[in-house]
Amino acid sequence: MSYQKLNNLLGWSCGILATLVYVLSVEKSSSWWDTGEFIASAHKLEVVHQPGAPLFLMIQNVFSNFAMGDVSKIAYWMNIGSAICSGLTIVFLFWTISAIAKKLVLSDGEWTSAKLYQVFGAAIVGSLAYSFTDSFWYSAVESEVYSMSSLCTAVVFWLALKWDARADEPDSNKWLLAIAYVMGLSIGVHLLNLLTIPVIALMIYFRRTNKVEWKGIAKSLGWGVLALAFVLWGVIQYSVRFAANFDLFFVNSLGLPFGSGVAFFIVLLVAGIVFGLYYAARRAKPIMHLALLSLSFIFLGFGSYSLLLIRAQTNISLNNYDPDNAFNLLSYLSREQYQSEPLFKGQTFDARPVDMTSGSTYRKDADRYNRISSNNRYVYDKEMLFPRIYSDKHTAFYRQYLNIPEGQSPSMGDNLKFFFNYQLNHMYARYFLWNFVGRQNDVPSQGQVYAGNWLSGITFLDNLRLPGQSHLSNSMLKDPSRNTYFFLPLLLGFLGILWQLKKSKKDTAILGLLFFFTGLAIVIYLNQTPNQPRERDYAYAGSFYVFAIWIGLGVVAVVDLLTKLVKVPAKTLALASSAICLLAVPTLLLKENWNDHNRSERMMTRDFAMNMLNSCAPNAILFTYADNDTFPLWYLQEVEGVRPDVRVLNYGYLQSDWYVEQALTDINESKALPLEFAYDKVKRGQRDGIQVFDMGVEGYTDVKTVLDIMLSDNQQNMMQLQSGEYVNVMPTKKLQLKIDREQVLKNKVVPQEWENAIPEYMQWDYNQNYVSRAELSLMGLLENNNWERPIYFVKQAPNDIFMGMDKYLASEGLVYRLMPVEVGQQADDATLINTEAIYTNAVEKFKWTDIKNLDYFDTDSNFIYDSYVQPNLYAQGLESLVQKNKLPEAKKLALVAYEHQPKEPKTMRQSYLNAILADTLVKVKELDKAKELAAKNIKAIDEKLNYQKGIMEASEGYDLYSIQLGLGALERYQAILKQIGDEGLVAEGNRVWSKYEQAWLQGS
């Protein structure tokens, strides 16, 4: 068999093997974070969050058809789509490694079977190693853009190697044109692929020059960076900007329809490129001709964004930023809705704004574009170059992390310390080592010694960095998220780097540059703040891809090294070395990572979203806030058609005019919100933000009065600024809403036990210093809804979105329901508990399919259970039922809670809250279950406290909160054990308590 056929066969074989692993471990439904939005939008070809991924949506829509009309399988097949894209990435990685290895191996002479085995051994080991790395596998089994983005990067770099091998052939430029087209397509997936442009520029320089010079390298890299900037801003943004300005002229000046200027610009652009190609051909300008052809292919691929313009014109449910015209599309692509991070110069965290600059854009109105203010930015009194510590929201973290005293401003040294220690080390190097050395656990980390660190599995080395390792229990050592690779992938990769550096400095420089742009350059560009809501390793998978190439080359390095040490036939040595490396790296990665990457039994995301929707009464309005309480709900409504009567409103989006406009329209089976004010009152450029200015109004003011003042266009209801401009203000923070008792009773808004506690007015103090469109909409809803549609808020939302109405929020398990009830509850907290609703929801409505069965409870599902399900549904419900002496109901709820919990308590908080469950089981005479639960949790507490004790003995990095929870839980369990009456268990509880009481409470 020829080399080419064998190369193709083995490449496809590795890809198929990886795909099979992904298919076996793929999630059956939607998962956490963005996947719910992507699946819902792909199913109906809607518009996702900025800057969009239209090509990804269209391709995933194709995969959705394999569900054959079964809506419950659509998410599964879209996840399969990601698995296939990931498998194809491995195919191209195999071919990339074999091409590089072949080039370097053949530099020593002719082909031999031994060299053939080295090349293919390298490609097999390197490609399969990457297949089973932590970060890549995570993205491979969910419907997210990163798997398809990785495929684009893999294809582009493989095409670049194809060009490099054929650069002297007359038609070699076709490979560069193919690269341009794939890059254009990749814009419709994710922008990460564009980071290969400077690398390709350097590759072209090395291939075309006869003498490599530093000046030439710098020049080629400069051109590469300029080309990258041209695509990022020139193609993606300025082409749309030019189109928008053409449309502005055609509509406002010529009176032509919207879109006519865009059409003319496209015709002009095509004509210009065609003329440029004709001119370049006639004048024999090959570089110009190639550049224009490449630009044409980039624009052709970029054309996938036409999907957004087309679909935004229709009445789709998910229509982020409503990019139905060129100006909105420009804002969408520019991510105007999101705060941008300063890169070259910016404020420090303790800076104060001293001025504001503003730009402008245009808003599409009925028959013309109107100019509005846009991109308002503060000017600060303290700025520095290369700002890394700029977020005033994280001031306390910066000061604690950098040891900056209160009142002292940070220095450039502090700035660089944060960059190197936190952004580079914690937010990149840690992720890199996760993939090639090992991982301590999946606990989200901000640098704690017990959470989310890299770990090798070599005890004495790990003990040098991470205290308390000798105090780990068997369950901690067997935690599925604890993965140890003993440095083997890292060492093989380093061998590959050294071997390639010895063979070809040029090729090493190319891979090194690709590693930099897909890793460290992203760190610099993202400029991340601390306390990220999730780990961000997926963003750097491109650099891990490059390191996998070096892992492959490490196989060749091992063969070369052993050739000098042992006298074995070269062919045998190559085969044996490849086999050993295959076992030591890819097989080890597969073994270690399988149990925490296998999502085939997970259904927590779907269950949680389903239960949240089913918490709501018919035709309800549910205010959500973040990704994990919004996107899974959208998935269920848009794809599976679950509870389309519930209007799910993301409160953060509601601050934008386009989302308010959507709220004013019917969607699915949900009627428009009865806000009773026109969209024109809050359209972009109108009331973008209203300041609260307390005018000393006595008593409480009706919401309607305050709303009318804020929405008034009459200057008598406005405040005049020093500039002479009149602006709307909110004149008081004391608000009240008159309650129609008959309507409340008619619509069964409150449970029967509170029907006599309905007040004449709801009164509260507004809790913010400004009013956004979200608050205007909520006030409009309160005033005009008249309790006809139930209003709910998710538990995950911050108190800010409640507008100070916390006392009127009644817990119903996973959600709060707004209720006009006055029973003497405190004013600034949500203390009302609708016990009947919690019981009905938990016992009769809710379904959980996987919690009790999972050997590995992933970190996001565990967080949801730990933070919302267990405390708000079970613990709160049980305490309330017992307090009301409803023991039969308490028993049923306790049995449900007992049945639907993780196999083992993963956190100290779970053990603490399980004490409430155990106590209830005792009270309802379920002593065997109470005994089993108490024993399991005392054992878990003992293990966790013992670990913290080990940390304390070696450092100050112990978890004080966990220790306090553990000790508090032990106190509760001691009382419970006495009621159970098991002497052995009582003795064990006393032993554990005495052990840690002596360690912490007695100070010894």
Side-chain angles (χ1 to χ4, degrees):
M1 187 179 294
S2 68
Y3 168 84
Q4 191 60 45
K5 288 183 178 180
L6 195 56
N7 189 43
N8 290 339
L9 176 63
L10 291 174
W12 283 109
S13 297
C14 288
I16 291 171
L17 174 60
T19 303
L20 287 174
V21 172
Y22 301 148
V23 169
L24 289 173
S25 58
V26 80
E27 198 149 354
K28 296 294 193 299
S29 185
S30 177
S31 52
W32 301 111
W33 303 105
D34 296 344
T35 58
E37 183 196 22
F38 279 127
I39 294 170
S41 297
H43 176 53
K44 292 186 176 179
L45 292 180
E46 297 174 319
V47 182
V48 299
H49 64 274
Q50 305 165 33
L55 181 64
F56 170 81
L57 299 181
M58 287 187 277
I59 293 175
Q60 288 295 75
N61 181 269
V62 173
F63 279 99
S64 72
N65 293 298
F66 290 104
M68 306 298 281
D70 185 349
V71 294
S72 67
K73 297 290 179 61
I74 286 175
Y76 170 74
W77 279 105
M78 289 191 187
N79 293 338
I80 293 292
S82 286
I84 291 174
C85 287
S86 299
L88 289 172
T89 302
I90 300 308
V91 174
F92 284 99
L93 175 57
F94 179 97
W95 291 338
T96 295
I97 297 173
S98 65
I100 294 173
K102 176 186 175 185
K103 176 183 176 183
L104 298 178
V105 167
L106 282 184
S107 64
D108 290 340
E110 299 297 324
W111 264 120
T112 64
S113 57
K115 290 183 178 181
L116 188 71
Y117 293 146
Q118 286 184 58
V119 169
F120 288 134
I124 291 170
V125 171
S127 60
L128 290 181
Y130 186 64
S131 302
F132 309 129
T133 51
D134 180 39
S135 300
F136 184 69
W137 195 343
Y138 182 90
S139 297
V141 291
E142 64 179 14
S143 184
E144 249 277 26
V145 296
Y146 295 102
S147 58
M148 198 175 292
S149 175
S150 294
L151 175 58
C152 292
T153 302
V155 171
V156 162
F157 194 64
W158 175 77
L159 287 170
L161 292 175
K162 282 285 188 182
W163 172 86
D164 183 65
R166 295 161 176 79
D168 297 328
E169 298 177 4
D171 63 347
S172 62
N173 285 344
K174 67 183 181 183
W175 300 102
L176 298 178
L177 296 178
I179 289 172
Y181 183 53
V182 174
M183 283 185 172
L185 290 172
S186 75
I187 296 171
V189 179
H190 199 282
L191 301 180
L192 285 174
N193 177 61
L194 300 179
L195 296 171
T196 58
I197 292 176
V199 180
I200 295 172
L202 183 64
M203 184 181 292
I204 292 173
Y205 170 72
F206 283 154
R207 189 64 175 82
R208 291 300 190 191
T209 189
N210 293 322
K211 183 181 180 182
V212 175
E213 296 177 339
W214 285 109
K215 181 180 178 181
I217 293 174
K219 186 176 180 181
S220 65
L221 288 178
W223 280 111
V225 172
L226 286 175
L228 171 62
F230 176 76
V231 176
L232 276 175
W233 287 286
V235 172
I236 297 177
Q237 292 189 27
Y238 273 90
S239 63
V240 179
R241 187 181 298 277
F242 287 139
N245 287 324
F246 269 87
D247 211 42
L248 174 67
F249 175 74
F250 274 58
V251 174
N252 285 17
S253 300
L254 303 182
L256 294 175
F258 289 109
S260 55
V262 174
F264 181 80
F265 172 77
I266 292 173
V267 171
L268 195 64
L269 178 65
V270 172
I273 291 176
V274 170
F275 175 77
L277 290 170
Y278 172 77
Y279 175 82
R282 288 291 303 270
R283 296 298 180 93
K285 296 181 179 293
I287 295 179
M288 178 182 177
H289 192 270
L290 177 62
L292 287 173
L293 274 178
S294 299
L295 181 62
S296 302
F297 279 104
I298 291 173
F299 271 119
L300 187 62
F302 181 50
S304 65
Y305 270 86
S306 60
L307 171 76
L308 305 186
L309 286 166
I310 294 168
R311 293 296 290 158
Q313 308 287 338
T314 63
N315 187 29
I316 53 178
S317 305
L318 308 182
N319 189 14
N320 196 299
Y321 217 86
D322 189 21
D324 66 344
N325 64 84
F327 283 103
N328 274 16
L329 179 62
L330 176 62
S331 297
Y332 181 88
L333 291 169
S334 304
R335 294 171 58 90
E336 281 188 9
Q337 188 171 326
Y338 300 101
Q339 182 179 357
S340 60
E341 295 77 17
L343 293 179
F344 303 110
K345 185 180 180 182
Q347 71 276 12
T348 59
F349 63 79
D350 64 338
R352 297 289 178 266
V354 293
D355 198 0
M356 177 183 285
T357 62
S358 62
S360 64
T361 185
Y362 287 86
R363 180 187 65 224
K364 178 186 175 184
D365 286 332
D367 57 357
R368 64 184 287 110
Y369 290 109
N370 283 306
R371 188 169 185 168
I372 59 173
S373 176
S374 176
N375 288 329
N376 295 328
R377 297 181 183 276
Y378 288 115
V379 177
Y380 292 91
D381 60 351
K382 297 176 185 178
E383 293 187 332
M384 64 170 54
L385 298 175
F386 193 61
R388 301 284 111 182
I389 45 177
Y390 57 88
S391 172
D392 59 349
K393 296 178 181 178
H394 300 90
T395 297
F397 184 95
Y398 291 135
R399 291 197 181 279
Q400 183 273 330
Y401 189 83
L402 299 169
N403 294 317
I404 302 174
E406 193 68 36
Q408 179 178 312
S409 293
S411 65
M412 178 55 76
D414 296 321
N415 187 60
L416 293 177
K417 180 181 178 182
F418 184 79
F419 171 64
F420 286 108
N421 290 355
Y422 191 87
Q423 292 185 333
L424 272 185
N425 181 42
H426 184 72
M427 295 299 287
Y428 177 75
R430 180 171 61 100
Y431 297 148
F432 176 81
L433 295 171
W434 274 6
N435 286 272
F436 303 111
V437 175
R439 184 174 181 177
Q440 179 186 25
N441 52 45
D442 64 353
V443 180
S445 172
Q446 291 299 326
Q448 301 92 333
V449 296
Y450 52 83
N453 294 286
W454 65 270
L455 183 85
S456 69
I458 302 174
T459 305
F460 80 92
L461 290 177
D462 294 331
N463 283 336
L464 295 176
R465 299 176 44 256
L466 303 174
Q469 293 301 299
S470 59
H471 289 67
L472 294 174
S473 65
N474 286 332
S475 61
M476 293 176 182
L477 291 171
K478 294 178 180 178
D479 182 347
S481 65
R482 179 184 173 91
N483 301 318
T484 53
Y485 318 137
F486 312 105
F487 285 98
L488 294 175
L490 185 72
L491 291 174
L492 193 59
F494 281 157
L495 281 175
I497 294 173
L498 295 174
W499 181 82
Q500 187 187 33
L501 188 62
K502 177 182 176 183
K503 291 289 183 178
S504 173
K505 291 183 175 58
K506 292 181 183 179
D507 291 336
T508 309
I510 290 169
L511 281 183
L513 190 64
L514 184 59
F515 181 84
F516 170 79
F517 272 102
T518 54
L520 302 183
I522 297 175
V523 174
I524 295 171
Y525 177 77
L526 291 179
N527 197 6
Q528 290 173 337
T529 56
N531 299 322
Q532 291 289 311
R534 63 187 291 199
E535 300 285 14
R536 301 296 190 181
D537 55 299
Y538 56 85
Y540 310 109
S543 65
F544 309 154
Y545 179 94
V546 178
F547 195 78
I549 297 175
W550 281 321
I551 287 176
L553 297 181
V555 176
V556 187
V558 168
V559 175
D560 279 4
L561 182 63
L562 291 179
T563 301
K564 300 173 183 176
L565 300 177
V566 296
K567 300 299 181 182
V568 176
K571 177 179 175 181
T572 304
L573 188 60
L575 280 172
S577 298
S578 298
I580 292 171
C581 291
L582 184 66
L583 289 172
V585 179
T587 306
L588 176 64
L589 290 170
L590 175 60
K591 170 190 170 294
E592 289 290 309
N593 291 341
W594 168 260
N595 50 8
D596 57 321
H597 287 77
N598 177 18
R599 305 194 197 183
S600 60
E601 300 301 322
R602 294 188 201 171
M603 294 293 288
M604 178 71 173
T605 309
R606 183 184 183 278
D607 289 347
F608 182 68
M610 180 78 76
N611 292 336
M612 283 188 68
L613 286 174
N614 286 333
S615 299
C616 300
N619 303 310
I621 298 166
L622 174 61
F623 287 98
T624 63
Y625 185 75
D627 294 0
N628 283 337
D629 54 69
T630 304
F631 296 156
L633 277 61
W634 284 352
Y635 156 73
L636 281 176
Q637 290 188 320
E638 295 297 300
V639 178
E640 297 194 26
V642 175
R643 297 298 307 272
D645 61 301
V646 177
R647 176 59 68 96
V648 176
L649 288 171
N650 183 282
Y651 202 85
Y653 286 2
L654 199 57
Q655 298 178 37
S656 304
D657 69 313
W658 57 269
Y659 201 62
V660 176
E661 186 176 25
Q662 285 188 5
L664 292 168
T665 61
D666 296 345
I667 291 178
N668 297 324
E669 296 177 15
S670 169
K671 295 295 183 182
L673 266 62
L675 303 185
E676 297 301 322
F677 58 76
Y679 164 68
D680 284 350
K681 290 285 187 180
V682 294
K683 63 187 178 182
R684 193 176 179 195
Q686 297 286 333
R687 298 175 178 87
D688 292 326
I690 297 174
Q691 292 296 318
V692 176
F693 187 83
D694 196 335
M695 296 183 176
V697 180
E698 291 187 10
Y700 288 87
T701 305
D702 289 338
V703 169
K704 184 180 188 315
T705 302
V706 175
L707 192 61
D708 287 344
I709 290 172
M710 291 190 292
L711 294 175
S712 174
D713 295 321
N714 188 334
Q715 290 185 355
Q716 293 182 351
N717 293 322
M718 299 182 182
M719 175 178 286
Q720 187 176 20
L721 303 179
Q722 290 182 351
S723 62
E725 178 186 4
Y726 284 88
V727 296
N728 293 103
V729 296
M730 182 177 180
T732 179
K733 284 190 173 186
K734 292 185 173 296
L735 303 177
Q736 69 178 15
L737 180 71
K738 185 172 177 58
I739 306 302
D740 186 337
R741 178 181 172 83
E742 295 303 318
Q743 277 291 108
V744 172
L745 293 175
K746 174 186 174 183
N747 294 313
K748 298 180 179 179
V749 177
V750 301
Q752 188 174 3
E753 64 177 306
W754 288 340
E755 287 182 352
N756 294 324
I758 301 172
E760 182 180 359
Y761 287 94
M762 284 172 53
Q763 296 179 330
W764 69 94
D765 291 343
Y766 187 73
N767 61 356
Q768 299 182 57
N769 294 317
Y770 67 93
V771 181
S772 74
R773 294 181 182 89
E775 286 76 43
L776 289 174
S777 299
L778 182 51
M779 289 182 194
L781 179 63
L782 291 172
E783 178 60 34
N784 299 291
N785 184 48
N786 200 21
W787 305 103
E788 291 182 2
R789 296 172 68 176
I791 299 173
Y792 294 87
F793 295 86
V794 296
K795 288 284 185 75
Q796 296 92 316
N799 288 358
D800 288 352
I801 81 166
F802 305 148
M803 288 200 322
M805 298 186 295
D806 306 55
K807 66 179 293 186
Y808 299 110
L809 298 177
S811 172
E812 296 192 351
L814 300 183
V815 296
Y816 290 120
R817 182 170 178 174
L818 185 66
M819 291 188 182
V821 172
E822 190 70 67
V823 290
Q825 70 270 31
Q826 62 189 76
D828 57 353
D829 198 6
T831 56
L832 290 176
I833 300 174
N834 187 353
T835 311
E836 180 183 345
I838 292 178
Y839 173 81
T840 302
N841 286 336
V843 176
E844 299 175 8
K845 291 184 179 181
F846 290 176
K847 294 186 181 351
W848 305 101
T849 57
D850 69 350
I851 295 177
K852 64 179 180 179
N853 298 319
L854 291 177
D855 292 321
Y856 171 61
F857 204 39
D858 65 282
T859 183
D860 294 314
S861 298
N862 183 75
F863 175 78
I864 293 295
Y865 177 83
D866 193 49
S867 302
Y868 304 108
V869 177
Q870 189 186 24
N872 297 313
L873 187 64
Y874 298 138
Q876 193 176 72
L878 290 171
E879 286 185 319
S880 183
L881 286 168
V882 170
Q883 185 180 7
K884 294 180 178 182
N885 201 31
K886 294 184 176 182
L887 294 185
E889 291 86 353
K891 180 176 181 177
K892 289 183 179 180
L893 180 57
L895 292 176
V896 169
Y898 176 84
E899 184 70 16
H900 298 296
Q901 60 174 315
K903 286 185 176 182
E904 299 293 335
K906 191 168 182 177
T907 67
M908 197 71 87
R909 189 180 188 201
Q910 286 177 18
S911 292
Y912 181 85
L913 292 173
N914 273 336
I916 298 172
L917 174 56
D919 183 57
T920 307
L921 288 170
V922 171
K923 286 181 170 63
V924 299
K925 310 304 181 185
E926 290 286 347
L927 297 183
D928 288 341
K929 290 183 172 60
K931 176 182 174 182
E932 182 271 333
L933 185 68
K936 179 170 68 173
N937 281 276
I938 288 174
K939 178 176 180 290
I941 293 169
D942 185 20
E943 292 174 349
K944 292 180 176 64
L945 287 180
N946 186 55
Y947 176 45
Q948 293 298 327
K949 186 170 179 287
I951 295 174
M952 185 189 70
E953 290 170 355
S955 75
E956 297 181 355
Y958 54 87
D959 183 359
L960 180 60
Y961 177 70
S962 180
I963 293 169
Q964 291 171 337
L965 274 180
L967 293 173
L970 283 176
E971 278 192 294
R972 304 185 73 167
Y973 280 114
Q974 279 191 306
I976 294 168
L977 294 177
K978 290 176 182 178
Q979 297 178 60
I980 294 173
D982 187 302
E983 293 183 2
L985 200 53
V986 170
E988 175 63 11
N990 289 333
R991 181 195 68 79
V992 175
W993 169 257
S994 299
K995 177 180 177 182
Y996 299 112
E997 179 190 34
Q998 183 179 20
W1000 281 300
L1001 297 183
Q1002 296 180 3
S1004 58

